[in-house]
Amino acid sequence: MTPETEKQLRKAWLKQKFGSWDYHEELLRLHDEYLTSLKRHWSDPELQKRHPGDYQGMISPVFFNLDRISKPGTIPRNSWKAGKETGWANTISYNFNRGMDYAGVNEYQELSGAERQRLNELVGQMLRIQENIRITVEDGWDDDDILDTDLTGPIDWPSNWMNELPAEVVAAALGPVSKSRPNVGAGEPCPAAGWWFTPAKADSRRYFRQGEVMPALGGDYGDTYWQWSPDQSAPRL
């Protein structure tokens, strides 16, 4: 496989991943973790008393809107399709620095530095996934941008990633593949049904069934070895 072919297949795999139900579920899982953490933080009655304005803002619009996002596992896999309505959580307004971008509401009120950093990291992951899905759905990747991890975020490539692609996608990228076979000596069974020939005799091309014993032709050439013919079409009459 050439480097260019591998690159094309990797791009196809990434588009398949970014448009998948599993990838969208990861976005919903991160969102649920983020929302649950904020609700736990704001469940403290003393915090609510100290910051009544922010608490009211968290009830609405923050929690009111974010509770409308689907929970992980609630969208059936067999009925889900990536699209502008379901392909990303487009009602979530994220911001790298402040979590949810709701003007006038400090949702991180009195959070520890470590917890603030953890939630901002969750937001960063969600932004990456959200953008990857959106650009894939809109077919908006330019050239090799989809391979740039500075744009997509880190990618966990499985060792058998190519096996996850549809066979027709791989076949189209690889183009015609020579179905070569090892040479088979006379007296050995034919390993695959098809047309074979031997340099031991001119015009020796013939069809063998799998398991059929390959014959020896003798002559001055020496031992007979049969080779898989590049031309697997039947002879014309």
Side-chain angles (χ1 to χ4, degrees):
M1 183 192 311
T2 66
E4 181 62 28
T5 298
E6 180 178 351
K7 183 169 69 174
Q8 294 305 315
L9 288 173
R10 286 187 179 273
K11 288 162 69 173
W13 184 87
L14 285 169
K15 290 180 181 180
Q16 177 176 280
K17 174 183 175 68
F18 295 158
S20 70
W21 178 88
D22 295 286
Y23 196 63
H24 187 252
E25 280 291 300
E26 177 64 10
L27 173 60
L28 296 184
R29 186 192 67 76
L30 293 172
H31 170 73
D32 192 55
E33 180 181 349
Y34 183 82
L35 180 56
T36 299
S37 297
L38 284 178
K39 285 187 172 182
R40 182 170 55 247
H41 176 65
W42 281 98
S43 66
D44 179 4
E46 296 303 316
L47 180 66
Q48 298 169 13
K49 291 178 182 178
R50 289 193 296 272
H51 306 282
D54 284 323
Y55 176 57
Q56 288 302 315
M58 293 302 295
I59 294 175
S60 181
V62 177
F63 292 150
F64 174 79
N65 283 324
L66 296 187
D67 274 329
R68 298 162 63 187
I69 305 301
S70 299
K71 298 295 182 183
T74 59
I75 302 176
R77 181 190 292 267
N78 59 1
S79 64
W80 184 85
K81 181 179 180 181
K84 292 188 177 182
E85 295 302 320
T86 59
W88 68 83
N90 58 355
T91 57
I92 308 175
S93 180
Y94 293 121
N95 179 284
F96 269 113
N97 299 316
R98 285 192 60 254
M100 296 167 294
D101 189 17
Y102 286 99
V105 180
N106 184 359
E107 63 272 16
Y108 284 3
Q109 193 68 262
E110 295 190 29
L111 272 177
S112 67
E115 182 67 359
R116 183 184 295 264
Q117 180 179 349
R118 185 182 74 85
L119 293 185
N120 277 337
E121 288 175 355
L122 283 177
V123 170
Q125 293 177 60
M126 288 187 283
L127 274 172
R128 297 280 195 186
I129 294 177
Q130 189 176 9
E131 278 297 282
N132 290 342
I133 296 174
R134 181 186 66 79
I135 298 173
T136 300
V137 168
E138 295 180 348
D139 195 22
W141 292 106
D142 292 329
D143 299 323
D144 297 335
D145 282 354
I146 196 172
L147 298 172
D148 187 348
T149 53
D150 287 338
L151 299 176
T152 65
I155 301 297
D156 183 17
W157 288 92
S159 58
N160 63 337
W161 63 270
M162 196 181 301
N163 294 338
E164 297 179 0
L165 287 169
E168 58 270 20
V169 172
V170 177
L174 294 177
V177 179
S178 174
K179 296 183 178 179
S180 61
R181 299 287 190 278
N183 294 346
V184 181
E188 297 180 11
C190 177
W195 293 89
W196 297 76
F197 75 98
T198 175
K201 183 180 179 181
D203 300 323
S204 60
R205 179 175 173 270
R206 56 174 285 190
Y207 186 88
F208 290 96
R209 296 184 180 88
Q210 184 174 359
E212 186 176 351
V213 176
M214 311 296 271
L217 299 184
D220 298 332
Y221 191 84
D223 294 338
T224 302
Y225 284 92
W226 292 88
Q227 300 177 14
W228 181 260
S229 174
D231 179 9
Q232 287 296 304
S233 61
R236 296 179 181 178
L237 299 177

